[in-house]
Amino acid sequence: MRFHVLGPLEVTTAKGEPVELNAGKPTTLLAVLLLHANSWVNIDDLIDAIWHGKAAPASALRNLRSYVWRLRQLLGDRVESRAGAYRVVVAPGELDTDRVDELAAAARHALDAGAHTDAAAYLSEALTHWRGVPFDRLTVPAAAAEADLRAEQRRELRTLLAGCWRALDRYADATAVLRELLDDDPFCERTWATLVRVLHAAGRPAQALAAFQQARRIIVAELGVEPGPALVAAQREVLGPAGRDAGPAPAPRANRGGTEGRQSIEQVIASAEREVLIISSGANTGPVGAFRRLHQDNAERGVRYRAVFPDAERLSGKVTGLALAGALVRTDNTVPMEVVVIDGSVALLPVDASGVDGDGVAVLRLPSAVGATVELFERMWSAAVVLNPVDLDEEPEYGGLTTRERDLLALLWAGYTDGSAGAKLGISVRTVRRTVADIMNRLGARSRFQAGAKAVDRGWLLVAS
């Protein structure tokens, strides 16, 4: 017989056939007994657990005996009794938590011996036993404490598994595990540092630096502190000698007196001859802030600009201003980092500048790092939605809507799908959806239908009566 408590309570026979447990107090009783497997639990504690948080009825003892009888119909002599107490007998290996403990011990032994493949197999098997919250729906304090311990154990096993995959050069598997860990705990700097190193080892320095910047934004925004030394050290490993030789150079504030850091950044950006690529999360700091000051001069010299911003910045003046000045601008749901690439040979990105009053900027010239950053940009560029400067510059002919916005809204109001409306207007489905989102934001509408209705009410959209 097998008892599964790492999630909703389940019992199976030795052949794997499920034992039908009816939801209710008998199942709660079994969960409490399994929480103390092979140990005697006195009747008063069982009654408190079964009616936890509620007044037990006068018939509680009689009801308890009835629940025990029902369990014995399912489990046989596994449920034992003595004066004033009950227990459930569980053989070694029958409880999933025992099996997890055995596999975890075997994995650690394999790790000590340097057998990462064996360790990964043990850890992977151990993690398959989790199906949800341990002792799900059992609300007694002992169950909550056990659930917390098992949650910490699961985190530790996943961390060890990521280390195994990293040691075996299975970087994609390591990255997937680390991302799951960060979904559960986005403030764990140790996990972020490991992710940065794994991405770097996988030959993806741009994504490694993007991961650092994402971690820094989360930590600063939510905790109000800068990343600790372990995470900063991981970032500096990615930067390598090129990053260390270049700085980090501070972007000084008005009260610092000197301007060497700012001048050096601006000089690099001003040296652009062909193309400047910008990935910006909207922070407007470091090299991204500097390129905004120099964009007009460079544009007049024929330098091409391409920039990717988050959707949240789509209608901001700093983004639309760039588009109207001639830059090619696209937006996407999220943008992971701040970086400027000059002529495909130099990358500028913010770094932590410990002890410096201001943001640091690293100048990277290492071909592999710059090339990886350009590759990341191109992937984002192909997936992002165009911000059309013609639309931005067009005078609204219909109240607050441009001609194309009116045509699109009219088609959708008439029942066209996103795909059919986009095909009729010669634009992509993503551009349709992004344009509609812009219109809804402008009108303060919560739905497309409401946006159309508001546009009709204001006379911005004419419909046949």
Side-chain angles (χ1 to χ4, degrees):
M1 192 164 284
R2 299 287 186 268
F3 300 92
H4 311 277
V5 297
L6 293 173
L9 179 59
E10 292 181 0
V11 180
T12 58
T13 66
K15 295 181 179 181
E17 299 171 348
V19 175
E20 294 296 334
L21 297 175
N22 295 323
K25 291 182 171 56
T27 301
T28 302
L29 169 62
L30 178 58
V32 177
L33 293 174
L34 288 171
L35 183 59
H36 306 280
N38 297 313
S39 298
W40 294 103
V41 184
N42 68 61
I43 288 175
D44 289 339
D45 290 339
L46 290 173
I47 291 174
D48 287 342
I50 293 172
W51 284 276
H52 183 68
K54 299 178 181 179
S59 60
L61 180 57
R62 184 171 64 253
N63 292 348
L64 175 61
R65 289 171 179 163
S66 173
Y67 305 151
V68 170
W69 179 84
R70 292 186 196 178
L71 289 181
R72 284 175 173 162
Q73 300 302 304
L74 297 173
L75 308 178
D77 58 3
R78 292 299 188 107
V79 180
E80 297 182 340
S81 62
R82 72 177 188 185
Y86 293 95
R87 73 175 177 183
V88 62
V89 177
V90 179
E94 289 187 328
L95 193 59
D96 56 0
T97 52
D98 291 342
R99 180 58 181 158
V100 166
D101 292 341
E102 293 171 3
L103 290 166
R108 292 189 180 90
H109 181 74
L111 285 173
D112 291 341
H116 291 94
T117 300
D118 292 341
Y122 291 132
L123 292 166
S124 297
E125 182 181 349
L127 290 166
T128 62
H129 287 277
W130 265 272
R131 298 168 297 106
V133 178
F135 293 97
D136 190 27
R137 298 182 183 178
L138 186 59
T139 57
V140 295
E146 179 68 12
D148 289 342
L149 289 173
R150 292 297 171 177
E152 182 57 35
Q153 181 187 41
R154 181 169 180 257
R155 178 173 185 82
E156 180 185 359
L157 296 183
R158 287 190 292 172
T159 301
L160 291 175
L161 180 59
C164 288
W165 294 145
R166 179 185 178 191
L168 295 168
D169 294 339
R170 292 179 55 171
Y171 300 120
D173 291 326
T175 299
V177 175
L178 292 167
R179 294 286 189 191
E180 290 177 1
L181 286 167
L182 290 169
D183 286 342
D184 293 342
D185 182 7
F187 306 117
C188 183
E189 293 193 26
R190 183 181 67 171
T191 306
W192 278 112
T194 303
L195 177 61
V196 169
R197 291 189 170 97
V198 166
L199 290 170
H200 184 214
R204 297 154 65 188
Q207 293 187 35
L209 294 171
F212 172 83
Q213 293 193 24
Q214 182 183 6
R216 182 179 182 273
R217 283 198 301 273
I218 292 172
I219 293 167
V220 170
E222 299 297 331
L223 304 181
V225 297
E226 289 291 333
L231 183 51
V232 172
Q235 181 213 27
R236 294 186 185 279
E237 288 177 21
V238 180
L239 294 175
R244 290 193 293 270
D245 292 346
R253 297 176 182 173
N255 63 356
R256 288 183 57 83
T259 59
E260 296 80 9
R262 177 175 295 169
Q263 288 176 349
S264 65
I265 299 167
E266 293 185 348
Q267 287 169 1
V268 174
I269 296 175
S271 70
E273 297 179 354
R274 301 185 306 278
E275 183 175 58
V276 178
L277 307 178
I278 303 103
I279 302 175
S280 175
S281 62
N284 196 29
T285 59
V288 173
F291 101 77
R292 295 188 195 284
R293 295 188 292 274
L294 291 168
H295 168 65
Q296 193 63 44
D297 292 339
N298 281 345
E300 290 175 359
R301 294 190 292 107
V303 177
R304 183 191 190 207
Y305 274 76
R306 287 193 290 157
V308 178
F309 289 89
D311 289 342
E313 298 287 326
R314 189 172 177 83
L315 296 179
S316 68
K318 58 189 177 185
V319 172
T320 56
L322 281 172
L324 293 172
L328 302 177
V329 179
R330 297 185 181 186
T331 66
D332 208 345
N333 292 330
T334 57
V335 177
M337 65 188 301
E338 298 274 326
V339 65
V340 174
V341 180
I342 310 296
D343 293 334
S345 60
V346 181
L348 306 175
L349 66 158
V351 297
D352 175 73
S354 301
V356 177
D357 181 20
D359 295 324
V361 174
V363 181
L364 277 71
R365 301 180 188 274
L366 193 65
S368 61
V370 178
T373 306
V374 172
E375 180 182 350
L376 174 63
F377 174 88
E378 295 296 351
R379 286 202 302 271
M380 296 179 61
W381 182 257
S382 63
V385 174
V386 175
L387 184 71
N388 193 332
V390 174
D391 291 343
L392 294 171
D393 199 30
E394 183 181 359
E395 284 295 329
E397 298 180 11
Y398 299 89
L401 299 178
T402 66
T403 301
R404 191 173 78 170
E405 288 173 338
R406 183 192 68 85
D407 291 342
L408 174 59
L409 196 57
L411 289 173
L412 297 176
W413 183 260
Y416 279 68
T417 65
D418 290 353
S420 59
K424 193 171 182 64
L425 296 177
I427 57 179
S428 69
V429 172
R430 293 195 66 191
T431 299
V432 169
R433 293 171 180 168
R434 205 59 52 86
T435 303
V436 172
D438 290 348
I439 296 171
M440 288 171 56
N441 182 67
R442 199 177 313 157
L443 290 169
R446 296 183 179 180
S447 68
R448 295 176 173 204
F449 180 82
Q450 189 180 48
K454 286 191 173 186
V456 171
D457 289 342
R458 297 184 186 188
W460 293 2
L461 180 63
L462 302 178
V463 296
S465 58

